[in-house]
Each structure stands twice: as C-alpha cells, then as structure tokens.
Amino acid sequence: MAVRTSILWLAAILVSVGGNQKGAPKFKCGGSLNLQVGKSYTIQSPNFPYPYPNGIYCVWTATAPANTKLRLTCERFSVLPSVKCRVDDFWVFPSGTFTVKDSRHYCGSGIIDTVMKNNKFAAVFFSGYKNYASYYAGFTCTLKVIVKFAIGTAPPQAAQPSSNVACGVKSTSRIVGGQEAAKNEWPWQAGIRYTSIGNIFCGAVLIDKQWAVTAAHCVDRFQVNSMFVSLGDHKRVMDGSTSSRRIIAIAEKIIHEGYSRVSLDKDIALLRLSKPVVFGADIKPICLPCHFTLTSLSGEKGMVTGWGTTSYRGEQSDVLKEVELPILTTSECQKYLGKAVTENMICTLKPGHDSCTGDSGGPLSWAKDSHYYLVGLVSWGRGCGDEGSPGVYTKVTKYLSWIERKTSINFCSQTT
C-alpha cells in the first residue's frame, strides 16, 4: 500500500472531527480534556516508551478556563523523520481549531515547547501504513494551564540553534586506541540510517547547524527520503541509548560534480538537514581546517570514529568506536597504493588498526590547540588493517571552497 501524504491523512481526520459522517474513521487514541489552573495532562503516543505502531491516528482536544493559556512541552520526541513530515506527523493547532492554516507539524526528534494562542488546544498524530515496523519511540508531552502573560512580556520559546558555538571541542578527554568511545564523546559524529530499518550504514560529520558532510559513495545511490541523519547516538541500532539523540530528515544531498564511482576520486557529499540542529554539550560541529591547507600532516595522529566492521568482512560494531592512527601524506600513501591514490586523498597506516566497512563518510579528526579539525572522510581501502595497506580518506582541505560555495556559508572567513 502506498504511504499516504500527511495532508491526506489530516483531511480524513478533520472530516471525522467535524461530524458523524458515514464511514468516518474511528480514532484509536487521544482524548478530550477540561483542565484547571495548575493542572497538567500527559499526551503520549501509543505504546510509549516503546515504538508506536503503523497506521494509527490520534486526536487530542483540551479546554482551560477563560483568561488562561495552554503550554505544550515535549521533552522526549522521536517520530520517523521525512521531508515536510510526509509519512508520520504530529500536528499542533495553536488556536484549538482544526484548520491547516493554523497548524504546526513535527517529526524527527528534539524538544517541543510551544504556547497556545488561547485556552484551547488541539493536536493530531498519525503514522502511515508502511511495509516495515516502526523503530521510533514516539513522544511524551505535558499540557499545562498557565495564566496569560502580562502585557509587554513574551511567552517562553524553545531553544534556538546557535551558530557561534565553539567548533571541534570534545565532550570528554580520554586516551584512546581502538576501543569503545564514551557516550557523546565525539559530538560532531553523525550516522546515516536507513529509513526502513533504522540501522546506521555510513557515518557523517556535522559542520554547521543545518549541514553535514559525508562520502559521496555512501549516498549517491539513495533518494533522500530513504535515509536520514542521527546525531548524539552511541549504539548503531535505534534504541535511544543516549538522551541526546536527534533524528533529522535530509532535505537535500549535494554530491561533488567530479566524483567517480570507479576511482572514488572526489568522494565527498553534503547533506542539508531538514531543520537546524540545536547545539549543546553533546551535539556540536567540528572545525574545518581552513588554516591548515598547506600544513603537512606527516607524522601527526588523527582520530577515526564510526560503527564500522571490526575486521574485514566482519560484523559491524554495536557501539561507536574510536582509534588513533598515524597520518600519511598523499605522496607517502602512493608508495603503498600507487596511482590509485590521487592528490585529493590522504591516508592512515597502523597494522591491525584501521577504519573499515561501515565507517565510510565518518571523520578523520586531527587535534590542534585543543580543537579538532576535519582533515579526512573515510573513503576506501584494500582490506582493513592489513600490513602495508593504508586506509584512504578524502582530503578535506581540497574541498573548502566547494563546501563554502554549496552551503553559502563562509566557514573560513569566520575563523581567526
């Protein structure tokens, strides 16, 4: 069965709300409330904290005394992300009337904090029919009665994304070398997940509040609605193992025009997220290496993080792992792999330690003056950790102008 668009679902629900039309759908969850000052009511998706089922529709309405307002706060929200929330969607109607013009709708994950226009509230949640089980936990929200705000004061607002957060600052400092990372230790680490099953198949790196970068070979064969980005994760499966997890739909993918599927030259792509990320201690961007385009990294050590396989053709790691590796320059790497390594690539080499399948698109991070810089993206290799076989990375310094041009953000002019 084809997935219905959200507006079609909403239309069917609004028809049912408006009367007892023959054949109108029966709501499987929801309720109607009369609330008093100081009282609150919990709104939850069915089965919360476990994943909600497919093919459901819920309607909530509430009324509070005159001269009050209603405030909706959702501290835990996890709904299947999609562009414009076309598959699963949570609609809120700030005026308490079911009209599309007066509506806000949400999917993905994050925190919702919004104040209604008056003493009435209405909301609708639906999940479309899909040929796979949901892996999204849903939501739990609190609806509370508050007195109207005094003249000249503004209602509380949800946290807004910050564009001036310090980039490249880790959440935890540890000695590493081929082990499990601490939860949220690498706050710019992102995973690219299949929409159908929720598991991570490639890595990505957060570089701005609405942009991530990854390897082109990770995303060139996929439509944006068949994958999404998750941030703040620790486990590869969708289990909500950290409170920081955010799931966000991909609005656009931009693959480098010179990318070659054969040679994997220019193996880089940008992902524009469907909404801005709210930065915090556990989610923040990495720095781009604007001041290091002429710096030789020979002998320097970089950090690779990801959920890739722990051996060639082995099983993917269940948790985010990290390994510190010596960096080779392009010319040093060519001594091992010849002309397969172009000027757009750099490498790492440490027998028995390497990135591997499933790490693709993730970061090779280099520390300088207490900040981490994105110097490489996991791209390819011959085997994993073999003697004399380096891991190969897209050299990010080659693409700074391209990144700025495609994102319309002056990353390098912002740096000091």
Side-chain angles (χ1 to χ4, degrees), residues 39 42-43 78 84 92 330-331 352 369 379:
K39 299 293 184 180
T42 299
I43 292 176
S78 175
K84 297 184 179 179
V92 176
T330 302
S331 58
D369 298 329
S379 182

Side-chain angles (χ1 to χ4, degrees), residues 35-39 64-65 68 145-147:
L35 301 179
Q36 301 300 317
V37 176
K39 299 293 184 180
T68 64
V145 182
I146 55 176
V147 296

